[in-house]
Amino acid sequence: MRDALIDLGEVPSGGPGETETALPRAPLPYRWILGLLTALLVVLLGGGGPPPQPPPGPVVLPITLGDGIRTGDGRLYVIGQAEPIGTVIRTYAIQAYDLPAVTPAGVYRVTVSGDVFSVVDAGDGLLLVSYNDNESATLGLMAVRPGGGAPVWRRAANLFGISADHAMALVQEESLPGRPENHNVWRALDPRTGQVRWSVEQPVDGQLTMAPGFYSAGFPPRFYVVHGDGRVVTHDALTGAPVGGVRLPRPLAEDSVIWVAGGLLLAGYGDDETIAYDALTLTERWRADGGILPEEGYAQSCEPMVCVAAIVQGLTGFDPATGRRLWRSAGYDSSEVIDGHVLIARASQSEPALAVLDPSTGRTTEVPGFWTSGGPGPSPGTAWVYRLQAVGYELRYGVLDLATGRVRLLGHAEWITGDCRFTTGVLICRRADSTVAVWRL
């Protein structure tokens, strides 16, 4: 697979897409004065060098429409179309590229009876590949090395995350798939060998929960097993051992919701009552009448508040010390915490919209234009953003200042169809001809 550099029309940050206004020519007798003044200004401003050049064009990977892309752990993965087409057992070639240089880092070949949907770097050249196993109607997980041959190990498991040091992977398995007595089992595996470090069964009438931040961190410090009768047991995620517990005042019901956010374990009983416990000690902190946790939403820490996002109610800020509602921002249904700011969006609407929310006051600063967040930016207090227009498939990308709500435009390109993501100093997007463009930022 070859790389090529193609200029898609990026422009300098001084005014992408804008044309300079032509100035009338100065009268001939004064041209020498203008020239002298220009030279003097160049010296005073410390100039004298060549004008700034436009940013380089992207690296273009000539993949096909049937190929998929995944990112993570400083890598880009291109999952080739399965072969042979139309068969149950198929082989995928996965090409890995190190970012931001976009240099080849090995080709992995896996043979499964389904579709590959995620890949995770496990260190030392090892790759964890998750897939749908159509033969057993379960999820599968295997560890492979570059080249080919048999997997290092394989299990019927769903991968949830891997620790930063690649020493432990968290998975969920079914005890007896397809049987009435089947239940979920959570395990920690050694990614190098597939051996089980610990196992914890999830109650059939209960649930297992952890802080939402786990999904970005890769591996939680602890998790909570909630039984149907109201018992809650805290487990250390490194050892799987129980380290604390409490009994809720009543059993779980159909409208019960359990969340971990802002240093609290929150137990909601529909519109009746919400109880908060300290996430470390499980001592009760407060009780509040009415429902705080909607069934269709989620809670997250947005210090110094606890934020609850819901499709109908919007975003609500609660005081974690008392449970008192302090503000509500209607119309926004998703949120992302970046450097003490909350970037909120209208994700369920046809046209994207962004605003920056101050969690202390609930005040919002609208971001002009139909921008989409790309996550934490290149420096503290910033976020990557992009805007994709259907007409002409025009892409614009830049950096959002979270303090002011202003976007500094970095460049633009045409014939971009989507699947854009920022990661490890690059922007990756799919083009109209199915190829993938990678801009080094």
Side-chain angles (χ1 to χ4, degrees):
M1 192 173 292
R2 59 189 178 82
D3 300 340
L5 292 177
I6 298 179
D7 189 353
L8 292 185
E10 292 82 317
V11 293
S13 60
E18 298 180 358
T19 57
E20 295 182 358
T21 303
L23 299 176
R25 175 178 293 183
L28 187 61
Y30 302 102
R31 292 169 112 185
W32 67 273
I33 299 177
L34 292 176
L36 183 61
L37 290 174
T38 300
L40 180 61
L41 285 173
V42 168
V43 173
L44 291 176
L45 296 175
Q53 298 298 312
V59 175
V60 177
L61 303 180
I63 70 176
T64 66
L65 183 61
D67 299 338
I69 59 174
R70 303 290 187 273
T71 57
D73 302 305
R75 279 186 171 184
L76 165 66
Y77 300 97
V78 176
I79 304 174
Q81 187 171 357
E83 296 180 352
I85 299 175
T87 60
V88 176
I89 306 297
R90 294 172 290 177
T91 299
Y92 295 83
I94 303 174
Q95 171 70 64
Y97 296 89
D98 284 331
L99 299 175
V102 202
T103 54
V107 179
Y108 301 78
R109 289 180 172 83
V110 298
T111 301
V112 298
S113 64
D115 301 317
V116 172
F117 60 85
S118 73
V119 290
V120 174
D121 179 26
D124 193 28
L126 196 66
L127 199 67
L128 301 185
V129 180
S130 298
Y131 59 94
N132 295 315
D133 191 334
N134 293 334
E135 289 185 322
S136 62
T138 61
L139 299 176
L141 178 65
M142 67 170 68
V144 294
R145 292 197 176 277
V152 178
W153 55 265
R154 186 195 299 255
R155 296 183 68 96
N158 182 21
L159 177 65
F160 268 73
I162 187 170
S163 59
D165 59 0
H166 300 148
M168 199 173 297
L170 182 64
V171 304
Q172 184 189 55
E173 300 181 356
E174 296 183 44
S175 61
L176 297 169
R179 305 261 309 261
E181 59 271 30
N182 177 53
H183 59 272
N184 292 325
V185 180
W186 293 77
R187 306 188 197 278
L189 305 179
D190 183 338
R192 294 176 295 273
T193 64
Q195 293 182 342
V196 177
R197 297 284 186 85
W198 55 257
S199 297
V200 173
E201 294 187 3
Q202 179 175 325
V204 177
D205 58 351
Q207 65 183 77
L208 185 144
T209 187
M210 58 196 73
F214 144 72
Y215 295 103
S216 59
F219 203 88
R222 67 191 66 85
F223 59 90
Y224 305 84
V225 177
V226 185
H227 297 261
D229 61 4
R231 288 180 297 121
V232 179
V233 180
T234 307
H235 291 259
D236 184 296
L238 294 179
T239 64
V243 292
V246 71
R247 180 178 287 275
L248 303 178
R250 48 181 150 163
L252 297 181
E254 291 185 0
D255 58 355
S256 298
V257 181
I258 308 294
W259 279 96
V260 181
L264 299 174
L265 174 73
L266 299 164
Y269 293 92
D271 296 329
D272 186 15
E273 183 183 38
T274 301
I275 308 173
Y277 299 87
D278 185 279
L280 290 176
T281 65
L282 291 185
T283 56
E284 184 176 324
R285 297 274 292 273
W286 49 262
R287 296 191 184 199
D289 293 333
I292 289 179
L293 307 175
E295 294 184 58
E296 80 284 1
Y298 62 90
Q300 68 179 143
S301 175
C302 53
E303 295 181 358
M305 306 302 164
V306 171
C307 294
V308 175
I311 295 177
V312 177
Q313 295 92 339
L315 192 71
T316 306
F318 293 89
D319 182 354
T322 64
R324 185 168 60 93
R325 188 177 72 188
L326 300 177
W327 48 259
R328 172 174 289 175
S329 184
Y332 295 93
D333 49 32
S334 67
S335 61
E336 180 183 15
V337 180
I338 301 177
D339 290 332
H341 300 270
V342 182
L343 198 56
I344 54 180
R346 297 188 181 102
S348 61
Q349 299 185 12
S350 57
E351 292 287 358
L354 279 181
V356 183
L357 180 142
D358 182 348
S360 298
T361 63
R363 289 194 295 267
T364 59
T365 301
E366 298 284 342
V367 180
F370 302 113
W371 295 96
T372 299
S373 171
S379 59
T382 65
W384 294 113
V385 290
Y386 69 92
R387 184 173 65 191
L388 190 59
Q389 297 179 349
V391 178
Y393 300 109
E394 183 181 12
L395 168 77
R396 291 179 179 268
Y397 59 94
V399 177
L400 170 65
D401 186 326
L402 296 172
T404 64
R406 297 178 181 176
V407 175
R408 177 168 58 91
L409 192 62
L410 296 182
H412 77 272
E414 295 181 347
W415 299 111
I416 302 299
T417 56
D419 203 7
C420 295
R421 64 197 73 183
F422 292 88
T423 180
T424 320
V426 299
L427 168 61
I428 303 171
C429 288
R430 201 75 179 245
R431 307 199 310 173
D433 60 358
S434 299
T435 60
V436 170
V438 184
W439 288 266
R440 301 185 184 98
L441 302 172

